[in-house]
Amino acid sequence: MDKAELNRVIERHKQEQEALAERLGALRSGDLQVKAREGDGGERDETPTHINELERLEQWLIENIARYEALLGA
């Protein structure tokens, strides 16, 4: 990867991280909920599971941004 491509990847990851932070904020505040339909027609709250998965994705993005920024400095 050349420097221009690394910069594009870093910028894209930062934009994804910002969008993810907004979504996580809405989930944590209760402004947004994730529901799953159950067989009996009811709903199950999947918000905590969704938050957990998005936090893992957020951590992955943070680590990748740091990794790519280190490559730029090398």
Side-chain angles (χ1 to χ4, degrees):
M1 254 190 240
D2 65 10
K3 286 189 177 198
E5 189 174 354
L6 281 172
N7 280 321
R8 284 191 299 273
V9 171
I10 290 168
E11 186 57 36
R12 188 177 71 240
H13 278 12
K14 285 182 178 181
Q15 290 170 351
E16 291 170 357
Q17 185 182 6
E18 288 176 22
L20 186 59
E22 288 179 29
R23 184 170 179 91
L24 276 168
L27 287 165
R28 289 177 180 138
S29 70
D31 291 340
L32 181 63
Q33 294 182 344
V34 179
K35 303 283 185 179
R37 295 222 182 260
E38 294 188 330
D40 63 2
E43 291 183 336
R44 181 178 63 246
D45 185 12
E46 291 289 331
T47 304
T49 303
H50 201 67
I51 289 171
N52 185 46
E53 291 300 315
L54 291 180
E55 286 172 342
R56 289 176 51 194
L57 178 57
E58 182 179 44
Q59 186 59 41
W60 180 83
L61 285 169
I62 290 168
E63 290 170 3
N64 272 352
I65 290 168
R67 197 172 296 126
Y68 287 128
E69 287 176 337
L71 285 173
L72 274 178

